[in-house]
Amino acid sequence: MADEPQKKPHLSALVGHTNGLTKPASLAAATRAGGGGGGGATASSKKLVIKNFKERPKLPDNYTQDTWQKLHEAVGAIQSSISIKYNLEELYQAVENLCSYKVSATLYKQLRQVCEDHVKAQIVQFREYPFLMHRNDSLDSLLFLKKINKCWQDHCRQMIMIRSIFLFLDRTYVLQNSMLPSIWDMGLELFRNHVISDKQVQNKTIDGILLLIERERNGEAVDRSLLRSLLSMLSDLQQVYKESFEQRFLEETNCLYAAEGQRLMQEREVPEYLHHVSKRLEEEGDRVITYLDHSTQKPLIACVEKQLLGEHLSAILQKGLDNLLDENRISDLTQTYQLFSRVKGGQQILLQHWSEYIKNFGTTIVVNPEKDKDMVQELLDFKDKVDHIIEVCFQKNEKFINLMKESFETFINKRPNKPAELIAKYVDSKLRAGNKEATDEELERILDKIMIIFRFIHGKDVFEAFYKKDLAKRLLVGKSASVDAEKSMLSKLKHECGAAFTSKLEGMFKDMELSKDVMVQFKQYMQNQSDPGNIDLTVNILTMGYWPTYTPMEVHLNSEMIKLQEVFKTFYLGKHSGRKLQWQTTLGHAVLKAEFKEGKKEFQVSLFQTLVLLMFNEGDEFSFEEIKMATGVEDSELRRTLQSLACGKARVLIKNPKGKDVEDGDKFIFNGDFKHKLFRIKINQIQMKETVEEQVSTTERVFQDRQYQIDAAIVRIMKMRKTLGHNLLVSELYNQLKFPVKPGDLKKRIESLIDRDYMERDKDNPNQYHYVA
């Protein structure tokens, strides 16, 4: 080592020779150092000498200039679209050689200058076109667009070829200099600066593109690939698309659709208008996919939505929503919902009109007394209709469901009490025997729907009163279609209103079941009697508090009936001491056997019909006055009874003179020639239409019950709170009472309780009450 001066290795050259791997060189040195020693270093070991690499060979004179000349010729050939006389690989290698010898910067500048000169020369061809002509000269505009497109396509193709030759320069020198654009970006920059930035060229290009789009919007077929290519060019040239094209495009779109919206709202019906809006939105969406830049989608669609929908939301709904809903136009309503959901505030305004429609339509069903007969069925049909619209058209949107419920509750309570009464009667019609319209499953579905309407009613106690009256008739006359259906309805009411609401109704069912047990015991009791008689008596024992209040009617029963009543009374009171029996003749019915010339028949009749028919065992003809005297049946009830026997389908009696109504002095004759295809015939009592007085009395009973409930609630609250202000007491009452009540009614009940010494006013503050223990 001392013999030769130590030299530092040329590291970069070393790495260059070993492709970045120094390991083989060091390994060879180690081998030589240990050679011949048999495993260890010896004194005679050779010294390791590291020398510099040889100098890089020098380029021949004029190599750089000649090589650039070749490359320049090749670029010129590409730009002139003629064949290149040199091999592409040879050209690529030439670029690599020049880059290896530190002439990259010069090469890049020379290339840029050649490209710039060529691009600058292109502007001349566009100067030939007149620029100050009318925009609608579409033929010239189209030729210009094709020319600019060809220029752009040629430029792109040329730059791709040029870049492939100068790829080594692009990937070494350009990549290491972050300030320099790549060869491709340089080409874009040159095209933008020298062609598209020319104001005349740019305006003419954008005018032409906008004209083509306008023609397409008017229904003409246009060259979409040309549009796609030109708009892609504007996008590639960075801010040209955003700053020069998009802004003008959106302004023109805005003007077009603003005018179109105003015009078509006047000319077209709502469904056609909405169909047009959908079509326009679809077209603009397709435009984005086909040739516009994706970034334009949001502002473009927002512009169409604003001008065709947002500006006309109220007008569209006022003009056409009611018709769509009236006619149940499902597809149009679906389209309305979908379009309105796209616009800010659209759903909200649709909700408001939806609610108003339900309230207005529902009010016409509820408030018109002439429609009372069909009110409940119409309510059910209307509910089915709006449910279907919500499910299919409004995508089960919770807001629409909730507002529908609120709207139903609003209109159905505009007429207090009547809807509750009619719903009870509707349920009665469905649960009554003879209702063959529905299977058990369908009946269950109908009852479920009824319960939904029932929920909207505030005065549920009115429903209870009428329901109880009708249920009693069904149970006592055996007219119930199905015990299961009755129990199902009861279960639904219990679930909806609580056990207190149905306790009396459940008591009625218990009475009927207990009566069956009592009658089994009574029959055994009769068999043990010395004279069991030939009349089979059935009695229903009703607990007075559970059943509706019936006015007892005294009639003249025959001796056998009176005797049987006494036997039963002895039997029953013997088992239950301390009870009192009150006979309800209005609810009685019987089966009579009769003989006619045709043969024997059986009649299912009411007790009043029974008393009339039994008279004809004593004679063949009686006057109205005689029948009235003998039976003791009240005047109007008797007239209806005789009507059913002499004027109905099964005419067991003949009325003289003939006529539908029973008048004083009419005579009735037994019809011995009576014929009927059935053996057992049910002669229905002519149903006296429920009089206004009856309805009023049922409603009055409800109001009387309400007063008791208000009194009880006031006492309950005051007992707990001891002292309370008027407003707080009223607020508590509103929370506790389950029926609608007016402040005036509450004030009357408070005054009544003060008068009866349940509570007193504070001496200093008249709005403060104290509980009186």
Side-chain angles (χ1 to χ4, degrees):
M1 291 287 271
D3 297 339
E4 248 177 276
Q6 191 175 353
K7 295 179 182 177
K8 289 183 181 177
H10 192 294
L11 188 59
S12 62
L14 177 67
V15 171
H17 261 281
T18 59
N19 292 322
L21 298 173
T22 57
K23 192 173 181 183
S26 59
L27 185 62
T31 307
R32 283 198 303 276
T42 62
S44 60
S45 295
K46 289 188 179 179
K47 294 170 186 172
L48 178 63
V49 179
I50 300 173
K51 295 181 179 179
N52 282 337
F53 288 120
K54 288 180 181 178
E55 291 294 323
R56 182 184 301 197
K58 288 186 178 179
L59 288 173
D61 293 341
N62 298 328
Y63 178 82
T64 307
Q65 192 177 346
D66 293 347
T67 305
W68 166 244
Q69 194 58 43
K70 262 193 216 178
L71 292 167
H72 191 182
E73 280 179 40
V75 170
I78 291 168
Q79 290 170 338
S80 306
S81 296
I82 58 176
S83 59
I84 305 167
K85 59 184 178 181
Y86 303 107
N87 184 298
L88 286 176
E89 194 176 338
E90 182 188 337
L91 294 170
Y92 179 90
Q93 191 60 52
V95 171
E96 186 176 344
N97 291 342
L98 288 176
C99 290
S100 300
Y101 284 91
K102 310 281 186 178
V103 289
S104 299
T106 309
L107 187 60
Y108 184 82
K109 282 179 190 169
Q110 288 171 320
L111 176 63
R112 181 184 173 91
Q113 191 59 52
V114 172
C115 292
E116 187 168 17
D117 292 343
H118 177 73
V119 172
K120 276 182 178 176
Q122 300 307 307
I123 198 74
V124 178
Q125 61 183 313
F126 302 114
R127 303 274 186 211
E128 299 166 7
Y129 283 82
F131 286 98
L132 298 172
M133 58 187 210
H134 197 271
R135 184 182 157 182
N136 287 342
D137 191 349
S138 56
L139 180 61
D140 180 76
S141 176
L142 186 62
L143 291 172
F144 179 85
L145 290 181
K146 286 182 176 175
K147 190 90 171 169
I148 199 87
N149 185 52
K150 183 176 185 307
C151 178
W152 165 249
Q153 295 295 341
D154 289 347
H155 175 75
C156 289
R157 194 180 64 255
Q158 290 161 15
M159 289 312 298
I160 289 167
M161 283 286 289
I162 291 166
R163 181 178 178 269
S164 67
I165 292 170
F166 288 84
L167 191 62
F168 194 86
L169 176 70
D170 210 24
R171 287 188 175 171
T172 54
Y173 173 70
V174 176
L175 204 59
Q176 288 161 10
N177 289 270
S178 58
M179 301 301 288
L180 292 176
S182 68
I183 292 171
W184 174 258
D185 288 342
M186 174 192 77
L188 292 180
E189 186 185 299
L190 293 173
F191 196 87
R192 181 172 67 249
N193 292 343
H194 299 296
V195 179
I196 292 300
S197 287
D198 183 285
K199 274 295 162 200
Q200 290 181 327
V201 172
Q202 189 179 112
N203 289 341
K204 180 84 174 164
T205 303
I206 290 169
D207 280 350
I209 292 170
L210 291 172
L211 181 60
L212 276 186
I213 294 172
E214 184 185 312
R215 284 170 54 196
E216 188 181 51
R217 280 173 170 163
N218 291 334
E220 293 180 46
V222 299
D223 187 345
R224 286 184 139 206
S225 61
L226 176 63
L227 278 171
R228 182 165 57 247
S229 177
L230 289 169
L231 289 166
S232 173
M233 170 188 80
L234 297 183
S235 292
D236 289 344
L237 301 176
Q238 292 173 3
Q239 294 305 311
V240 180
Y241 181 91
K242 277 276 171 207
E243 291 172 2
S244 302
F245 167 75
E246 188 179 73
Q247 193 176 349
R248 277 190 60 193
F249 169 67
L250 291 174
E251 283 169 6
E252 294 205 3
T253 301
N254 211 47
C255 293
L256 168 77
Y257 287 126
E260 186 172 276
Q262 294 288 346
R263 177 170 52 82
L264 294 183
M265 271 302 293
Q266 302 297 323
E267 294 174 4
R268 298 193 181 183
E269 291 302 313
V270 166
E272 289 75 28
Y273 181 79
L274 292 176
H275 181 70
H276 176 79
V277 175
S278 288
K279 184 164 165 279
R280 281 302 202 194
L281 285 165
E282 195 178 315
E283 284 171 7
E284 297 302 338
D286 179 55
R287 215 156 264 133
V288 173
I289 294 166
T290 311
Y291 53 74
L292 292 168
D293 191 87
H294 184 70
S295 64
T296 309
Q297 181 175 20
K298 204 170 179 180
L300 172 61
I301 299 301
C303 170
V304 182
E305 288 171 348
K306 180 176 183 292
Q307 295 302 340
L308 294 185
L309 282 173
E311 297 292 327
H312 308 285
L313 292 175
S314 286
I316 290 168
L317 296 177
Q318 283 165 5
K319 186 176 180 181
L321 182 65
D322 285 7
N323 285 343
L324 297 185
L325 289 165
D326 284 342
E327 295 167 21
N328 211 26
R329 303 269 287 273
I330 297 296
S331 61
D332 292 330
L333 286 166
T334 304
Q335 189 172 56
T336 304
Y337 175 79
Q338 288 169 349
L339 290 174
F340 273 62
S341 297
R342 299 177 69 132
V343 186
K344 188 180 179 184
Q347 262 196 22
Q348 193 54 43
I349 199 164
L350 180 58
L351 270 168
Q352 290 165 10
H353 280 77
W354 163 248
S355 173
E356 285 306 310
Y357 174 81
I358 292 173
K359 283 189 260 194
N360 293 337
F361 191 92
T363 302
T364 62
I365 298 172
V366 169
V367 299
N368 186 357
E370 292 174 12
K371 283 192 169 186
D372 283 359
K373 185 183 169 196
D374 301 315
M375 181 201 288
V376 180
Q377 190 56 56
E378 285 191 26
L379 284 174
L380 290 172
D381 293 344
F382 184 47
K383 181 67 171 51
D384 281 347
K385 175 180 168 176
V386 297
D387 283 346
H388 184 65
I389 289 168
I390 287 172
E391 185 172 349
V392 177
C393 310
F394 299 162
Q395 298 175 4
K396 301 180 185 175
N397 187 318
E398 281 292 326
K399 290 179 183 173
F400 283 83
I401 293 170
N402 293 334
L403 199 59
M404 176 269 290
K405 289 177 181 174
E406 287 174 28
S407 305
F408 259 81
E409 192 173 337
T410 301
F411 79 70
I412 212 165
N413 290 296
K414 279 191 175 177
R415 187 179 176 194
N417 307 322
K418 199 65 184 178
E421 175 193 330
L422 293 174
I423 289 170
K425 288 179 180 172
Y426 184 87
V427 175
D428 175 56
S429 73
K430 295 298 172 188
L431 292 178
R432 208 183 297 139
N435 172 35
K436 305 294 182 191
E437 298 168 21
T439 62
D440 290 347
E441 291 80 11
E442 287 168 340
L443 182 57
E444 189 68 18
R445 277 202 296 276
I446 290 168
L447 295 180
D448 282 334
K449 287 179 181 179
I450 285 284
M451 288 308 300
I452 292 168
I453 302 292
F454 171 74
R455 276 184 202 122
F456 300 132
I457 291 168
H458 289 161
K460 291 183 170 61
D461 47 355
V462 175
F463 170 88
E464 183 197 11
F466 283 96
Y467 184 81
K468 184 163 85 170
K469 192 159 66 71
D470 293 330
L471 174 62
K473 280 184 192 172
R474 293 198 300 276
L475 292 178
L476 295 174
V477 188
K479 278 194 170 182
S480 220
S482 156
V483 176
D484 289 341
E486 293 282 7
K487 296 268 178 84
S488 171
M489 185 63 191
L490 208 57
S491 169
K492 293 179 201 302
L493 288 169
K494 189 172 186 176
H495 182 264
E496 187 64 34
C497 304
F501 187 85
T502 56
S503 61
K504 290 180 181 178
L505 304 175
E506 288 171 331
M508 291 162 73
F509 279 95
K510 281 179 191 166
D511 279 355
M512 295 305 291
E513 287 165 12
L514 288 171
S515 295
K516 286 178 187 172
D517 296 339
V518 170
M519 290 322 298
V520 170
Q521 295 166 16
F522 179 62
K523 283 191 170 91
Q524 291 171 349
Y525 175 80
M526 287 300 288
Q527 285 169 5
N528 297 329
Q529 297 295 305
S530 55
D531 180 16
N534 57 358
I535 299 177
D536 191 7
L537 176 68
T538 303
V539 181
N540 288 317
I541 299 97
L542 315 180
T543 307
M544 197 167 274
Y546 294 158
W547 297 77
T549 308
Y550 298 107
T551 308
M553 193 183 291
E554 293 294 329
V555 293
H556 304 151
L557 301 175
N558 65 22
S559 56
E560 284 178 286
M561 288 182 181
I562 293 168
K563 181 186 170 188
L564 261 177
Q565 274 188 343
E566 288 302 319
V567 171
F568 182 80
K569 189 174 178 182
T570 306
F571 157 76
Y572 187 76
L573 296 180
K575 291 175 71 69
H576 304 280
S577 59
R579 292 191 182 180
K580 183 184 174 186
L581 285 177
Q582 184 185 70
W583 295 93
Q584 293 289 352
T585 51
T586 52
L587 304 173
H589 52 95
V591 176
L592 289 182
K593 292 179 180 177
E595 286 190 29
F596 298 94
K597 289 177 184 175
E598 190 187 55
K600 291 182 179 180
K601 298 285 181 189
E602 285 186 2
F603 295 114
Q604 273 184 278
V605 283
S606 71
L607 182 62
F608 298 154
Q609 289 171 326
T610 303
L611 296 177
V612 170
L613 289 175
L614 287 175
M615 282 185 68
F616 289 88
N617 284 337
E618 311 300 325
D620 289 335
E621 182 179 322
F622 296 97
S623 68
F624 172 75
E625 287 74 18
E626 285 170 336
I627 296 170
K628 186 176 178 181
M629 183 73 70
T631 60
V633 176
E634 183 265 328
D635 189 280
S636 61
E637 193 71 49
L638 181 60
R639 288 178 196 272
R640 288 195 304 116
T641 301
L642 288 167
Q643 259 186 316
S644 69
L645 296 170
C647 308
K649 288 182 181 176
R651 300 189 180 184
V652 187
L653 304 179
I654 297 167
K655 186 171 90 73
N656 190 11
K658 291 181 178 179
K660 283 186 178 180
D661 297 322
V662 174
E663 306 290 348
D664 292 350
D666 283 356
K667 296 197 182 302
F668 295 89
I669 304 153
F670 183 71
N671 182 11
D673 296 325
F674 176 79
K675 290 182 181 179
H676 203 283
K677 61 182 179 179
L678 299 176
F679 172 69
R680 177 174 279 197
I681 304 135
K682 184 172 185 183
I683 302 176
N684 289 322
Q685 184 84 337
I686 302 275
Q687 287 295 316
M688 180 175 66
K689 284 184 181 173
E690 194 171 29
T691 60
V692 175
E693 290 80 11
E694 272 188 295
Q695 289 176 9
V696 168
S697 71
T698 305
T699 310
E700 278 178 355
R701 280 201 302 276
V702 172
F703 290 153
Q704 189 61 53
D705 286 345
R706 284 183 181 179
Q707 289 190 345
Y708 297 145
Q709 287 180 56
I710 294 169
D711 287 357
I714 293 170
V715 171
R716 204 164 46 240
I717 293 164
M718 290 306 300
K719 190 174 183 179
M720 186 174 71
R721 304 292 283 272
K722 304 302 182 206
T723 298
L724 205 58
H726 177 80
N727 290 341
L728 281 172
L729 175 58
V730 168
S731 176
E732 286 267 5
L733 287 168
Y734 277 130
N735 288 334
Q736 288 198 18
L737 297 170
K738 292 179 180 176
F739 48 82
V741 63
K742 294 173 185 170
D745 296 336
L746 294 179
K747 199 169 181 185
K748 281 179 191 172
R749 299 321 305 155
I750 291 168
E751 295 294 339
S752 169
L753 289 168
I754 290 170
D755 292 343
R756 288 180 280 159
D757 294 330
Y758 282 93
M759 54 199 280
E760 63 184 8
R761 272 199 173 82
D762 188 273
K763 290 171 185 175
D764 301 321
N765 183 0
N767 279 328
Q768 191 94 347
Y769 304 120
H770 301 292
Y771 177 65
V772 178

